Amino acid sequence: MARVNTGGQRTTDFGYAEVSWEEKARRVRGVFDSVADRYDLMNDLMSGGAHRLWKQFALALTGLRPGGRALDVAGGTGDLAAGLARQVGSEGLVLLTDINAAMLARGRDRLIDAGLVGNVHCVQADAERLPFRDASFDCVTIGFGLRNVTDKPAALASMRRVLRPGGRLVILEFSKPVLPGLDVIYDLYSFRILPLLGRLVANDADSYRYLAESIRRHPDQQTLLAMMQAAGLEDCRYHNLTGGIVAVHVGHRY
């Protein structure tokens, strides 16, 4: 969360470190520049393939119909965007956005390889300042990206702004385990196994250590729900998946 240090500089979390807003943006960019080429493989290894099921659950909550318009924010390598494209069909439109050029290029290439070219476009964009007109989309999604955003309230407000009346925001993100004893096992995995996988598979333990730390710094289920409501979203709710390791939050603009 954002703070101000004794020198009047805005600071925030980068994992467990406290850095300036500008420094966090630079460091997050460095992390995803580093992991982009192995991001999909690492997702499979880290989650045992469960991330695919989590994304399918999130896609089931979009409410999209053929001909709809959807925006995938911080969309990375394009898994959610691909699902959205299939939901809206050839008459619809999906925009895949990411602030990181390497991740966006990877997502564009994967979408092309999947034959999803007619109704999907890629735009490099900042979640906090989306460069789209008000009320442009029927659904906005963000999957495993919100925790890397420096100014989360600004991003939530920006995503609400571009929603059409009746549209919905779907947030898929790591959260706080709710099953008794799961947090101990999860901590062991996150801080011992995950950096080891990062070193062995991607030759980058530090980036994956940051990812584990960023999950712990991310708002829990109820806190994020309150933040969505503060941004003007209505009828907000969430669904815990895998014992709360992951949660899907949904909010509407009416």
Side-chain angles (χ1 to χ4, degrees):
M1 303 299 287
R3 294 176 291 276
V4 177
N5 64 17
T6 55
Q9 184 182 47
R10 295 183 302 177
T11 63
T12 189
D13 301 314
F14 177 80
Y16 288 156
E18 183 172 337
V19 299
S20 70
W21 283 29
E22 295 77 15
E23 179 68 7
K24 176 168 180 174
R26 186 188 67 78
R27 291 193 186 189
V28 168
R29 182 170 61 250
V31 166
F32 286 96
D33 282 345
S34 174
V35 304
D37 288 342
R38 298 292 185 93
Y39 187 75
D40 297 308
L41 174 60
M42 285 299 299
N43 275 346
D44 282 327
L45 292 175
M46 288 188 302
S47 69
H51 74 98
R52 301 176 186 275
L53 300 177
W54 299 333
K55 290 168 183 172
Q56 286 302 314
F57 186 93
L59 286 166
L61 300 176
T62 65
L64 286 168
R65 298 178 179 180
R69 294 170 59 93
L71 172 66
D72 187 25
V73 178
T77 57
D79 283 348
L80 286 179
L84 297 171
R86 295 183 179 101
Q87 289 179 336
V88 302
S90 60
E91 299 302 313
L93 174 69
V94 174
L95 295 185
L96 167 63
T97 71
D98 202 290
I99 196 171
N100 184 277
M103 292 292 287
L104 189 64
R106 177 69 175 156
R108 179 200 61 213
D109 291 346
R110 291 186 71 232
L111 290 169
I112 292 172
D113 290 344
L116 298 169
V117 293
N119 62 346
V120 184
H121 300 279
C122 298
V123 179
Q124 188 170 1
D126 185 344
E128 299 172 19
R129 294 173 290 275
L130 292 169
F132 309 113
R133 290 180 294 184
D134 295 359
S136 295
F137 301 99
D138 301 297
C139 181
V140 176
T141 61
I142 180 167
F144 303 117
L146 186 60
R147 72 181 188 280
N148 298 308
V149 172
T150 302
D151 191 344
K152 294 176 180 61
L156 291 169
S158 186
M159 289 186 282
R160 179 198 176 277
R161 178 185 62 77
V162 300
L163 278 173
R164 291 172 171 172
R168 65 184 70 178
L169 169 63
V170 179
I171 302 172
L172 172 64
E173 189 54 89
F174 290 106
S175 199
K176 182 178 180 180
V178 296
L179 292 181
L182 183 57
D183 55 343
V184 176
I185 299 171
Y186 188 44
D187 280 348
L188 177 64
Y189 174 79
S190 298
F191 293 106
R192 297 291 183 87
I193 306 300
L194 182 54
L196 178 62
L197 283 174
R199 180 169 62 83
L200 294 176
V201 177
N203 195 30
D204 188 355
D206 289 342
S207 290
Y208 287 90
R209 187 174 295 107
Y210 157 73
L211 294 177
E213 293 177 358
S214 70
I215 292 168
R216 300 312 187 277
R217 290 296 195 183
H218 186 67
D220 64 18
Q221 290 91 324
Q222 284 297 134
T223 303
L224 180 54
L225 192 76
M227 293 171 67
M228 293 171 67
Q229 292 167 338
L233 291 155
E234 301 178 68
D235 192 21
C236 299
R237 66 188 189 277
Y238 65 85
H239 307 267
N240 284 321
L241 306 179
T242 317
I245 288 175
V246 166
V248 181
H249 285 68
V250 181
H252 299 76
R253 178 179 183 180
Y254 294 132

